[in-house]
Amino acid sequence: MKSREVVSRTRNYATIVYPESAPANWQEILADMHIPALISPVHDKDVTADGEIKKPHYHVIIMFGGVKTKKQAKEIIDKIDGVGVEVVNNLATYARYLIHQDNLDKAQYSASDVVAVSGADYSAITYIPADDLNLIGEMLKYINDNQITSFAVFTNACANEHLDWLRVLALKKTSYFFMQYMKSMNWSEPQIFDKLEEDN
């Protein structure tokens, strides 16, 4: 009796799309399939080991509701002329790679340019606790650089300019910390700003 070949299945697959060969409306085609997906910013600054600029391309992650075979994933990827079908072993790590977030030796791209399709949530997928600490450091620097002592002014700045900061401020229970920090700046302002000037 022949043993049946085991076909591996998983939920998440990735591919590369080259704008020069894909349909002009490939992102709409993907959205119309109602499968959650993440589309990187166009990678137009990547270089080869020899220093040559790579062809502009997009990295795309497709996230199925249930497990699929590589063949089933390819049927979807073929509709957008994706090149290759790669199993995504770690969704968060691959999603962060869409902007080279953890690959500082590579060209850096903006998270705000990632396109999330059919309910995919890029921030939730890529979140790691260490990110919050980094963001809090950025927020404190912004407060000091702009001499902000009003919580309302800072909250508006987060809402208008830095939605990733707003997430930390509103959802991570850091409001009290920042309110107290800015409140203390009101009475220790000369000391703080004198110290900043010395450091610079």
Side-chain angles (χ1 to χ4, degrees):
M1 183 177 175
K2 273 188 181 176
S3 62
R4 280 200 276 178
E5 183 185 348
V6 177
V7 178
S8 64
R9 298 168 183 265
T10 189
R11 290 176 184 265
N12 307 312
Y13 291 88
T15 190
I16 292 175
V17 174
Y18 293 96
E20 64 182 25
S21 56
N25 64 335
W26 69 270
Q27 294 192 20
E28 291 172 35
I29 293 170
L30 183 57
D32 287 344
M33 288 189 275
H34 306 292
I35 299 167
L38 295 172
I39 303 167
S40 76
V42 61
H43 281 217
D44 54 4
K45 297 188 287 289
D46 292 2
V47 295
T48 66
D50 298 327
E52 306 245 345
I53 297 285
K54 292 183 179 179
K55 282 198 301 185
H57 59 279
Y58 295 87
H59 291 272
V60 180
I61 304 174
I62 297 173
M63 298 165 282
F64 294 101
V67 293
K68 302 287 181 186
T69 64
K70 213 168 188 179
K71 183 180 177 183
Q72 289 172 314
K74 187 176 184 303
E75 289 172 4
I76 300 298
I77 287 168
D78 283 348
K79 292 178 181 177
I80 59 171
D81 279 0
V83 176
V85 181
E86 183 181 353
V87 170
V88 175
N89 293 313
N90 185 300
L91 181 58
T93 301
Y94 203 109
R96 290 167 74 90
Y97 183 77
L98 296 184
I99 60 170
H100 295 160
Q101 189 166 350
D102 302 311
N103 304 85
L104 300 181
D105 56 324
K106 295 179 181 283
Q108 297 295 294
Y109 300 95
S110 173
S112 62
D113 293 329
V114 173
V115 175
V117 176
S118 299
D121 186 337
Y122 184 69
S123 294
I125 291 168
T126 57
Y127 169 76
I128 58 173
D131 291 340
D132 284 346
L133 199 54
N134 293 332
L135 291 174
I136 288 169
E138 291 176 13
M139 294 158 82
L140 290 172
K141 184 175 187 310
Y142 182 87
I143 288 168
N144 285 312
D145 287 350
N146 294 281
Q147 301 186 11
I148 298 172
T149 57
S150 163
F151 185 71
V153 168
F154 180 59
T155 301
N156 288 338
C158 292
N160 294 328
E161 302 169 32
H162 302 278
L163 289 180
D164 50 348
W165 293 0
L166 185 64
R167 176 178 57 82
V168 171
L169 191 66
L171 304 178
K172 299 293 179 179
K173 300 181 181 175
T174 59
S175 296
Y176 180 76
F177 167 78
F178 283 105
M179 275 192 271
Q180 290 301 107
Y181 183 77
M182 283 181 273
K183 181 178 174 184
S184 72
M185 287 176 71
N186 281 314
W187 54 260
S188 61
E189 193 174 275
Q191 298 175 49
I192 289 175
F193 294 130
D194 288 348
K195 178 70 171 67
L196 281 172
E197 285 174 10
E198 286 172 18
D199 291 345
N200 294 329

